[in-house]
Amino acid sequence: MAEKTAKKEIFPLLPLRGLLVYPSLVLPFDVGRDRSIKALEKAMVGDSLILLVSQEDGQVDEPGEDDLYGVGTITRIKQMMKLPNGTIRVLVEGVHRAVVEQFVRTEGWFEASVSARPDPDEIPESNELLALSRSVLQQFEQYVKLSKKIDHDKLAAVSDISHPGRLADAIADHLPLKIKEKQELLEAFDISSRLEKLLNFLSDEREVLELERKIHQRVRKQMEKTQREYYLREQMKAIQKELGDREGRQAEVEELREQLLKKSVPEKVRERIDKEIDRLERIPVASAEGTVVRTYVDWLLALPWAQEAPTKVDLGRAEKLLNDEHYGLDKVKERILEFLAVQKLTDKQSGPIICLAGPPGVGKTSLATSIAKSLGRPFVRVSLGGVRDEAEIRGHRRTYIGAMPGRVIQGMKQAGVRNPIFLLDEIDKMASDFRGDPASAMLEVLDPEQNRTFSDHYVEIPYDLSDVMFITTANNVYEIPAPLRDRMEIIHISGYTELEKLDIAKRHLLPKQKDKHALPGAKIRVSDEVLLELIRHYTREAGVRQLDRLLASMCRKVARIVASGDKQRVTVNSSLLHEFFGPPIFHHGRVEEMDQVGVVTGLSWTEVGGDTLMIEVSVVSGKGKVVITGHLGDVMKESAQAALSYIRSRAHTLDIPSNFADLVDIHIHVPEGAIPKDGPSAGITMATAIASALTNRPVSHVVAMTGEITLRGRVLPIGGLKEKLLAAHRAGVTKVLIPHENEKDLRDVPDSVRQDLSVVLVKHMDEVLDEALLDTSINYPNPLFDADSTAIHNIPTTDYLEEGAHQ
Ligand code: ADP
């Protein structure tokens, strides 16, 4: 082919912009310039051969001869297509190189005469060429790999070319060379030098590519680096903050470790605390869990695990202290000393637990304090009043927010030793509800079998309570849950008599208050009469709590007078007392002033001591209805029914119609209706009141009574005799009727009280009525009587069988 065209000398010429066509390569391009189109047309008219020469500067629109390179490519036009925009798309195939000899036409289009420079078809084999071609191919392969712009098919096609000249051209065509460089390769007619040049370009390109890659990588790395740095910096900030706080945490942990080191604790506990401290160390400072663990560790460290107070029991000292600090209470003190003696012998708290039972203000707490003082052991007091949640005894699990150990463990922390005297106040006031049974938890606390390993939900580690000396107090032992009560040795402390109160006030309360208010003896004087007045008319209690409060108040008032400089010393007399506390609040002797029908003084016993209890009965026309009012409990109501049944059975002896129940309504009322009352001990009182109301025989107002009644009239024993008699005494009663079986309890009643009271022991209701009902009859409105007080209904004349009388 080359030979054929080589002979021809003149070709139409088409200047190429930014393009170059190598021989044997096919290339499409668009032609828009007039001159070029004309050249194409010229070629098409001939043999479709056209000379393509690149412009040196692609920007030049109308190139002249000088704008064109001197070497071009003779190409064959394979296809021509007119595009809608007027340009022509041509597909050409390079034929051979040609040197422009001379421009023969420049008007309209270019035509030039050329000398052809085709590559020889056959090239003599030479090692140099072979080596060059191989390295060109190799470099090209690497270039392809790097550039990623040329696909592998093209690489394969190029590799197949065996002609070194064409190989060079094909590769040159694929390289992104400048036109100038491409032209250089076109002008390299010698194949070896063409390959060499190409090799240079290739390696340059490769280098460029390599550099590009590196730059790219560097840029990417840079990007990654900045990004990473950003993250790291953020992390660093967090870490630094953490570290800052960490230092604090570290110091905290060290301090805890030191504390632990100094503290003597059982090995197991030490391990646990150690573990918790380790845990604390690992917890992020910001985490709320840290506080939880810290509080827990603090608790474990604060608890006395091994610390002990000396356990020597000095009975002599104990006795002296008890006597010094408490007036009277001989039996109680004796019991306490016995208890302590046993302690001394066994050296362990294994026996029952003391329960000091009695009304408020009788010195239960202060006795317990004295016990602790005499034993030289720390004293803690925990009130159980109103505790209804088991968790209050046993603590909350740590999973709860704000969880705390129970009161027992809290008490132990407060005590600071493992063997304190632990007062559980008002153990009878614990209630149980849906939140668990605090009593059963308490049982575990008090049971020596179980309290060795007392488990508090919060502490988790079993705590040994076996060395603790528990003392409990209660107002009403019957309210203590039975299993707990069984564990206790109950020591009853009953109320005080007036004289006892006077002594307590003189010897203990007043001196204590004087001390507290910085009033030496000389500054305040209070005579016994005034104290007694205070006791009688301003307090009404079994204990001395209110009295103590009044004395404190009195001292304050006196201190004020002394401090104001008005007086150097103050003698509190009756009128000053009135000035201080107003007119008397209670009237000594609350019993009725006169004998009345249907009104009887009973004696009751409550948690706050004994008291008098009025019972009123009135009878009105009716149909046998019985009304009972005054906030009475079931037991008391039943007791009223029993009393009524008894009276019905005694109608004959009492001179009342046996069918009275069909004629009248009976109303039984116990005044002070707001106060709930219960218990069977008002049985005989109610029976007496009913009998009095039905018979119109008044009841002696100086008589008071207490006793349970059976249907047959038997009088059964009652509890709290001492308190009741003290109350009767306080109230100015002179005669009391008590069940015969309570005789033994009279020993407990102070002589001063017994001297003033005539106590009648009764076995049967008949005796009660004999003692209480007066023989006269009062004209009191009663449907069973006429205006002149004679019975209007016939008394049945049939023989009346006395049931169970005088058993
Ligand atoms: P309780 O615990 O029984 O309710 P407290 O122990 O609180 O009563 O006693 C109240 C006050 O009365 C205390 O100041 C206490 O010292 C004093 N007290 C009670 N009984 C006596 C007593 N027998 N001798 C001296 N002081 C007493």
Side-chain angles (χ1 to χ4, degrees):
M1 183 168 60
E3 256 108 290
K4 239 200 296 171
T5 54
K7 288 172 202 141
K8 208 174 168 202
E9 286 190 334
I10 293 174
F11 293 93
L13 185 150
L14 192 148
L16 287 175
R17 294 207 274 192
L19 260 183
L20 194 147
V21 182
Y22 287 107
S24 79
L25 292 175
V26 176
L27 192 86
F29 59 92
D30 292 348
V31 180
R33 289 186 284 193
D34 231 24
R35 280 170 163 264
S36 302
I37 294 171
K38 281 188 178 137
L40 275 177
E41 282 166 354
K42 175 74 182 137
M44 289 309 284
V45 199
D47 49 12
S48 305
L49 290 174
I50 188 165
L51 173 64
L52 302 185
V53 184
S54 298
Q55 282 177 220
E56 278 179 32
D57 180 358
Q59 304 293 328
V60 181
D61 264 349
E62 297 284 328
E65 298 159 40
D66 299 340
D67 294 323
L68 300 174
Y69 283 114
V71 178
T73 311
I74 302 293
T75 59
R76 189 182 304 280
I77 299 165
K78 301 214 92 172
Q79 253 181 32
M80 263 178 62
M81 194 168 67
K82 226 178 163 131
L83 295 178
N85 60 0
T87 58
I88 294 170
R89 178 157 296 172
V90 259
L91 186 72
V92 297
E93 184 186 23
V95 182
H96 60 75
R97 290 168 161 78
V99 179
V100 179
E101 297 290 348
Q102 198 181 359
F103 283 84
V104 292
R105 183 191 178 94
T106 49
E107 292 303 311
W109 67 92
F110 289 117
E111 262 177 41
S113 64
V114 301
S115 65
R117 289 297 171 88
D119 284 343
D121 280 338
E122 296 296 326
I123 292 167
E125 283 211 356
S126 90
N127 283 346
E128 194 199 341
L129 262 184
L130 200 65
L132 274 170
S133 336
R134 270 195 205 157
S135 37
V136 162
L137 200 60
Q138 226 174 29
Q139 290 271 4
F140 183 60
E141 274 170 8
Q142 285 183 5
Y143 170 83
V144 169
K145 247 190 236 163
L146 278 173
S147 94
K148 291 180 187 143
K149 277 181 199 140
I150 302 162
D151 57 46
H152 284 262
D153 291 347
K154 280 183 187 154
L155 178 64
V158 169
S159 317
D160 280 348
I161 301 171
S162 56
H163 189 286
R166 286 183 205 141
L167 174 74
D169 288 348
I171 290 177
D173 190 47
H174 283 306
L175 296 181
L177 299 175
K178 289 182 198 129
I179 288 298
K180 188 168 166 257
E181 291 160 342
K182 288 201 170 191
Q183 186 67 31
E184 258 183 61
L185 288 172
L186 189 70
E187 290 175 10
F189 304 123
D190 175 46
I191 294 177
S192 304
S193 63
R194 192 186 309 164
L195 283 169
E196 264 170 36
K197 268 196 174 62
L198 184 61
L199 208 54
N200 274 341
F201 286 139
L202 259 175
S203 73
D204 281 357
E205 279 306 313
R206 252 196 53 208
E207 235 167 69
V208 171
L209 268 187
E210 192 74 42
L211 214 65
E212 243 177 42
R213 195 179 60 93
K214 276 190 185 149
I215 289 170
H216 189 74
Q217 266 181 353
R218 209 164 50 222
V219 169
R220 216 177 60 199
K221 263 196 198 147
Q222 190 65 34
M223 293 263 296
E224 279 173 2
K225 207 173 136 205
T226 24
Q227 229 167 36
R228 245 184 53 196
E229 265 174 17
Y230 172 77
Y231 282 124
L232 284 176
R233 213 163 281 129
E234 284 303 301
Q235 244 171 352
M236 180 93 112
K237 264 193 229 159
I239 288 169
Q240 264 165 356
K241 181 176 180 319
E242 176 78 20
L243 273 180
D245 297 346
R246 263 284 134 196
E247 270 171 34
R249 170 61 60 82
Q250 203 54 42
E252 184 184 355
V253 164
E254 290 308 320
E255 196 195 310
L256 289 175
R257 289 215 171 95
E258 216 160 283
Q259 277 183 36
L260 176 61
L261 216 63
K262 283 190 203 142
K263 196 166 168 84
S264 64
V265 285
E267 210 35 54
K268 266 195 178 152
V269 180
R270 183 178 298 279
E271 275 168 25
R272 177 65 187 262
I273 300 179
D274 237 348
K275 233 170 78 186
E276 291 295 328
I277 296 179
D278 287 351
R279 220 177 112 208
L280 181 64
E281 200 173 14
R282 287 194 307 269
I283 293 174
V285 180
S287 161
E289 207 194 338
T291 329
V292 175
V293 176
R294 170 72 211 243
T295 320
Y296 182 53
V297 171
D298 280 346
W299 266 103
L300 293 187
L301 281 172
L303 277 180
W305 295 96
Q307 294 70 16
E308 262 186 352
T311 52
K312 250 187 26 229
V313 178
D314 182 342
L315 288 178
R317 182 179 137 88
E319 188 173 0
K320 183 170 181 311
L321 255 167
L322 284 174
N323 280 332
D324 283 355
E325 293 183 355
H326 297 91
Y327 170 85
L329 300 174
D330 294 340
K331 260 174 91 178
V332 176
K333 290 175 188 164
E334 212 171 287
R335 289 277 298 278
I336 291 174
L337 288 171
E338 283 165 16
F339 183 86
L340 294 181
V342 176
Q343 290 283 304
K344 185 180 173 135
L345 293 180
T346 57
D347 213 27
K348 198 80 184 158
Q349 168 95 20
S350 55
I353 282 127
I354 293 187
C355 174
L356 299 170
V362 290
K364 301 184 295 293
T365 313
S366 86
L367 275 171
T369 329
S370 294
I371 294 175
K373 234 195 271 177
S374 69
L375 294 179
R377 282 154 68 172
F379 175 77
V380 274
R381 173 175 173 269
V382 163
S383 176
L384 297 176
V387 167
R388 43 184 58 237
D389 188 348
E390 191 187 345
E392 289 193 49
I393 307 289
R394 221 193 259 286
H396 285 285
R397 291 188 196 286
R398 268 181 300 137
T399 40
Y400 288 91
I401 294 170
M404 284 268 275
R407 295 194 188 193
V408 176
I409 288 295
Q410 289 185 27
M412 292 312 292
K413 179 187 167 192
Q414 193 191 333
V417 293
R418 45 175 287 161
N419 60 343
I421 310 298
F422 202 126
L423 182 72
L424 297 163
D425 225 352
E426 302 194 309
I427 198 159
D428 55 333
K429 299 286 189 300
M430 269 186 323
S432 64
D433 64 8
F434 61 93
R435 278 169 292 197
D437 183 5
S440 69
M442 219 50 232
L443 202 62
E444 195 186 318
V445 171
L446 296 180
D447 186 351
E449 299 296 320
Q450 297 182 54
N451 71 9
R452 201 169 291 280
T453 54
F454 172 68
S455 66
D456 183 281
H457 290 326
Y458 182 85
V459 172
E460 279 178 9
I461 315 167
Y463 189 86
D464 184 358
L465 292 173
S466 63
D467 288 322
V468 178
M469 183 196 246
F470 286 105
I471 298 176
T472 61
T473 78
N475 291 142
N476 185 351
V477 289
Y478 299 105
E479 295 278 318
I480 306 175
L484 270 180
R485 197 167 59 222
D486 285 350
R487 293 230 39 79
M488 295 178 191
E489 178 172 343
I490 292 168
I491 300 179
H492 286 283
I493 309 176
S494 35
Y496 297 116
T497 62
E498 270 171 12
L499 287 179
E500 283 171 333
K501 285 181 185 176
L502 180 64
D503 272 323
I504 293 172
K506 268 196 325 196
R507 292 173 203 214
H508 297 275
L509 305 182
L510 194 55
K512 256 196 288 180
Q513 295 302 347
K514 279 184 187 170
D515 264 5
K516 255 194 213 165
H517 296 87
L519 288 172
K523 301 235 177 201
I524 176 171
R525 270 169 204 281
V526 191
S527 67
D528 285 6
E529 287 69 38
V530 170
L531 281 178
L532 213 53
E533 193 180 346
L534 194 66
I535 293 165
R536 278 188 183 161
H537 298 304
Y538 293 88
T539 70
R540 195 175 178 83
E541 57 177 351
V544 291
R545 192 169 282 173
Q546 178 64 9
L547 180 61
D548 197 23
R549 246 179 249 145
L550 288 177
L551 288 174
S553 164
M554 182 197 282
C555 286
R556 275 198 301 277
K557 290 177 197 299
V558 170
R560 206 173 142 198
I561 296 173
V562 174
S564 68
D566 289 353
K567 280 184 186 171
Q568 277 299 306
R569 65 175 58 155
V570 178
T571 305
V572 182
N573 54 25
S574 192
S575 65
L576 194 58
L577 201 63
H578 292 193
E579 207 176 291
F580 284 167
F581 301 121
I585 301 165
F586 302 107
H587 293 281
H588 185 59
R590 274 204 326 165
V591 287
E592 299 297 321
E593 306 278 299
M594 46 186 277
D595 307 333
Q596 287 189 59
V597 166
V599 178
V600 186
T601 306
L603 294 171
S604 68
W605 178 81
T606 65
E607 286 169 13
V608 293
D611 205 352
T612 52
L613 178 84
M614 301 317 268
I615 290 186
E616 292 177 358
V617 172
S618 100
V619 179
V620 289
S621 309
K623 290 216 165 79
K625 214 165 72 182
V626 179
V627 183
I628 302 172
T629 54
H631 211 320
L632 309 189
D634 286 345
V635 177
M636 202 155 173
K637 280 184 189 156
E638 283 165 11
S639 183
Q641 294 289 354
L644 189 63
S645 296
Y646 165 76
I647 296 296
R648 283 172 74 172
S649 71
R650 307 305 274 169
H652 173 64
T653 359
L654 289 170
D655 267 2
I656 41 178
S658 58
N659 61 341
F660 74 88
D662 301 331
L663 310 167
V664 292
D665 284 350
I666 295 179
H667 186 171
I668 304 171
H669 179 64
V670 186
E672 293 186 62
I675 303 165
K677 311 162 193 84
D678 204 3
S681 72
I684 62 169
T685 323
M686 288 190 284
T688 309
I690 296 166
S692 160
L694 288 170
T695 56
N696 262 8
R697 283 168 68 185
V699 182
S700 163
H701 73 276
V702 294
V703 172
M705 60 185 73
T706 176
E708 185 176 345
I709 187 173
T710 69
L711 282 180
R712 309 278 167 102
R714 213 152 68 87
V715 179
L716 299 184
I718 45 79
L721 183 79
K722 184 181 169 191
E723 274 86 1
K724 287 177 175 174
L725 292 196
L726 292 184
H729 185 246
R730 271 204 302 272
V733 168
T734 52
K735 189 188 208 177
V736 273
L737 312 182
I738 63 166
H740 198 278
E741 285 177 51
N742 279 110
E743 187 180 10
K744 60 181 191 319
D745 301 321
L746 282 173
R747 279 177 307 176
D748 299 336
V749 181
D751 288 344
S752 61
V753 173
R754 288 208 54 186
Q755 277 163 15
D756 294 343
L757 282 179
S758 122
V759 177
V760 182
L761 300 168
V762 289
K763 284 183 178 164
H764 196 272
M765 191 61 212
D766 289 352
E767 297 165 58
V768 177
L769 295 181
D770 279 351
E771 291 285 346
L773 294 185
L774 300 178
D775 279 335
T776 53
S777 171
I778 285 181
N779 190 3
Y780 193 77
N782 183 337
L784 297 175
F785 291 90
D786 264 346
D788 61 357
S789 284
T790 48
I792 48 170
H793 294 281
N794 287 334
I795 294 156
T797 48
T798 45
D799 279 348
Y800 190 82
L801 185 70
E802 286 193 19
E803 303 167 64
H806 302 277
Q807 293 163 353

